[in-house]
């Protein structure tokens, strides 16, 4: 009986000390790891968020870029960091793709992290060279079915989101398209503008200005609903491929085991930061749609994305070493 009493006291003391710790958090600078190079969409979003979080938390948020291996290097760093709330990851949906493409990853997106909050989306869109004789998704599907395998579609590289969106589109629309992988968005875009490839799934940040100049044509956006800053472009779902969903999301994650009290503190401050009109206006220019969530909702999103890409990888027979 005394043993159980001592155990109960120990648990109570631990809970009390953790509550005090959470109340004192943060008492030093917080590191935000961005697993992509500087100046990209993720970096711009992370630095803007970091600035607002710093103001809200009352502590510096230090940005550290750790690019490489499709974001897995930065993700591994955070997964193995102390679970004290002082090392965070600005993750993207690419970690769910990597988990299904590579046999040996040093982390599990669903188990190695404590979800904090969704941060937002930077939607992709399907754009085509103006010479392609199709002005809608339905016309594109009909064209592709009339010449199976003859249309070349670029991607930003094997295993990237633009590649997976292409594979999902092929499966959902029932068409044969030839995948042409490039090393990065700029190379793919150069060949698309030159007419060497027909289409590309790319972020609205880089594609929309070219659409507005008439250098590309937009066939549909990869988003649950039309974008407020481009309401004339239909979603791919309403344009002819029901259920097409491949959101390019970004979220804040902490190492697994981070105390729930600290996760809640961070969640509250992220939601507060995303309410900033100045932040929303600044990131809208980058094509970002800001949106916070509960930790539970983010955990569900991660599991759903893992399942979605697992099915696509299996059905498309994608294999990467």
């Amino acid at each position: 009986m005394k043993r159980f009493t001592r155990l109960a006291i120990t648990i109570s003391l631990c809970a009390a000390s953790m509550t005090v710790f959470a109340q004192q958090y943060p008492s030093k600078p917080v590191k935000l790891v961005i697993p992509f190079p500087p100046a990209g969409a993720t970096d711009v979003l992370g630095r803007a968020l970091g600035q607002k979080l710093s103001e809200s938390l009352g502590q510096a948020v230090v940005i550290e870029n750790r690019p490489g291996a499709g974001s897995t290097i930065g993700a591994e760093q955070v997964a193995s960091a102390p679970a004290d709330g002082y090392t965070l990851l600005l993750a993207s949906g690419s970690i769910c793709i990597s988990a299904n493409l590579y046999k040996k990853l040093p982390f599990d997106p669903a188990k190695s992290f404590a979800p904090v909050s969704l941060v937002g989306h930077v939607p992709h869109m399907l754009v085509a060279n103006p010479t392609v004789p199709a002005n809608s998704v339905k016309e594109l599907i009909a064209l592709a079915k009339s010449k199976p395998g003859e249309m070349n579609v670029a991607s930003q590289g094997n295993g990237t989101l633009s590649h997976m969106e292409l594979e999902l589109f092929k499966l959902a629309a029932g068409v044969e398209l030839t995948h042409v992988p490039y090393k990065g968005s700029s190379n793919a875009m150069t060949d698309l503008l030159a007419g060497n490839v027909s289409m590309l799934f790319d972020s609205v940040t880089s594609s929309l200005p070219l659409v507005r100049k008439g250098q590309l044509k937009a066939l549909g956006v990869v988003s649950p609903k039309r974008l407020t800053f481009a309401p004339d472009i239909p979603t791919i779902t309403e344009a002819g491929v029901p259920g097409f969903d491949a959101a390019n999301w970004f979220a804040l994650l902490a190492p697994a085991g981070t105390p729930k009290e600290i996760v809640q503190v961070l969640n509250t401050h992220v939601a507060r930061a995303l309410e900033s009109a100045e932040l929303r206006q600044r990131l809208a220019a980058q094509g970002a749609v800001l949106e916070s969530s509960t930790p539970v909702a983010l955990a569900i999103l991660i599991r759903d994305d893992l399942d979605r890409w697992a099915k696509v990888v299996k059905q498309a027979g994608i294999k990467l070493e």
Side-chain angles (χ1 to χ4, degrees), residues 167 171 311-318:
E167 298 297 342
L171 291 169
K311 293 175 183 176
V312 172
V313 168
K314 182 177 180 180
Q315 292 176 12
I318 302 171

Side-chain angles (χ1 to χ4, degrees), residues 146-229:
S146 71
K147 47 174 66 175
E150 294 183 26
M151 298 184 71
N152 295 328
V153 184
S155 83
Q156 297 163 4
N158 286 314
T160 61
L161 179 61
S162 66
H163 174 202
M164 301 304 290
E165 287 170 329
L166 167 60
E167 298 297 342
L168 180 60
F169 182 82
K170 288 162 58 179
L171 291 169
V175 294
E176 292 181 34
L177 299 167
T178 299
H179 174 220
V180 182
Y182 287 79
K183 292 183 178 180
S185 177
S186 60
N187 292 332
M189 184 59 74
T190 297
D191 263 13
L192 176 63
L193 291 170
N196 297 326
V197 289
S198 299
M199 295 172 293
L200 169 69
F201 280 96
D202 193 35
S203 73
V204 297
T205 306
S206 56
S207 292
L208 191 56
L210 296 171
V211 170
R212 288 175 171 163
K213 291 178 183 178
Q215 294 177 272
L216 295 175
K217 55 185 173 184
L219 300 181
V221 294
V222 186
S223 177
K225 56 185 178 181
R226 295 194 183 201
L227 306 177
T228 56
F229 50 86

Side-chain angles (χ1 to χ4, degrees), residues 108-306:
D108 182 329
K111 298 178 181 178
S112 301
F113 302 98
V116 175
S117 175
L118 185 68
V119 172
H121 305 82
V122 178
H124 277 201
M125 61 195 308
L126 176 58
V127 289
N129 184 280
T131 61
V132 174
N135 295 309
S136 68
V137 171
K138 288 184 178 179
E139 290 181 6
L140 169 64
I141 293 173
L143 178 64
K145 287 184 176 180
S146 71
K147 47 174 66 175
E150 294 183 26
M151 298 184 71
N152 295 328
V153 184
S155 83
Q156 297 163 4
N158 286 314
T160 61
L161 179 61
S162 66
H163 174 202
M164 301 304 290
E165 287 170 329
L166 167 60
E167 298 297 342
L168 180 60
F169 182 82
K170 288 162 58 179
L171 291 169
V175 294
E176 292 181 34
L177 299 167
T178 299
H179 174 220
V180 182
Y182 287 79
K183 292 183 178 180
S185 177
S186 60
N187 292 332
M189 184 59 74
T190 297
D191 263 13
L192 176 63
L193 291 170
N196 297 326
V197 289
S198 299
M199 295 172 293
L200 169 69
F201 280 96
D202 193 35
S203 73
V204 297
T205 306
S206 56
S207 292
L208 191 56
L210 296 171
V211 170
R212 288 175 171 163
K213 291 178 183 178
Q215 294 177 272
L216 295 175
K217 55 185 173 184
L219 300 181
V221 294
V222 186
S223 177
K225 56 185 178 181
R226 295 194 183 201
L227 306 177
T228 56
F229 50 86
D232 55 320
I233 305 175
T235 68
I236 290 182
T237 294
E238 66 177 310
V241 187
F244 189 89
D245 183 14
N248 183 29
W249 55 263
F250 296 88
L252 200 64
L253 305 179
T258 300
K260 291 182 180 180
E261 295 86 353
I262 291 178
V263 169
Q264 189 55 53
V265 169
L266 287 166
N267 180 274
T268 299
H269 285 279
V270 169
R272 186 178 300 167
L274 296 183
E275 290 174 357
S276 165
E278 182 270 333
L279 183 66
R280 287 181 173 274
Q281 290 175 359
R282 192 193 332 170
L283 291 177
Q286 301 292 327
V289 180
L290 301 185
E291 179 186 1
S292 62
S293 73
T294 65
V296 171
L298 176 55
I300 293 172
L301 172 63
I302 291 172
R303 288 199 299 270
D304 287 348
D305 245 25
L306 285 168

